[in-house]
Amino acid sequence: MVTPDEMRQFALDCLRWAELTDNASHRDLMLSVAKRWMNTASAIERRGADGARLKSEDLRNKLD
């Protein structure tokens, strides 16, 4: 399973790629993906702090 810290690292990779591209569409896509990685990491941590178990169904719904 991917940890929230790894998800944040993926987000940072996306931000780096966004900085490197000259294509506005690619940049927007990478920024969007980075945001989703960060939001997902935060959601997992919030669920863990509440003592709730994360179900893959819940995660899929949040990503839609």
Side-chain angles (χ1 to χ4, degrees), residues 44-57:
I44 289 171
E45 288 176 336
R46 279 193 307 276
R47 292 251 176 167
D50 292 339
R53 284 187 57 153
L54 178 69
K55 296 180 182 175
S56 59
E57 180 76 21

Side-chain angles (χ1 to χ4, degrees), residues 1-28:
M1 184 171 124
V2 178
T3 68
D5 287 338
E6 290 170 320
M7 291 178 181
R8 287 189 176 88
Q9 186 59 52
F10 295 154
L12 288 174
D13 290 339
C14 291
L15 293 175
R16 281 189 213 101
W17 295 328
E19 284 183 347
L20 294 174
T21 187
D22 293 329
N23 184 306
S25 177
H26 291 168
R27 184 171 29 268
D28 290 345

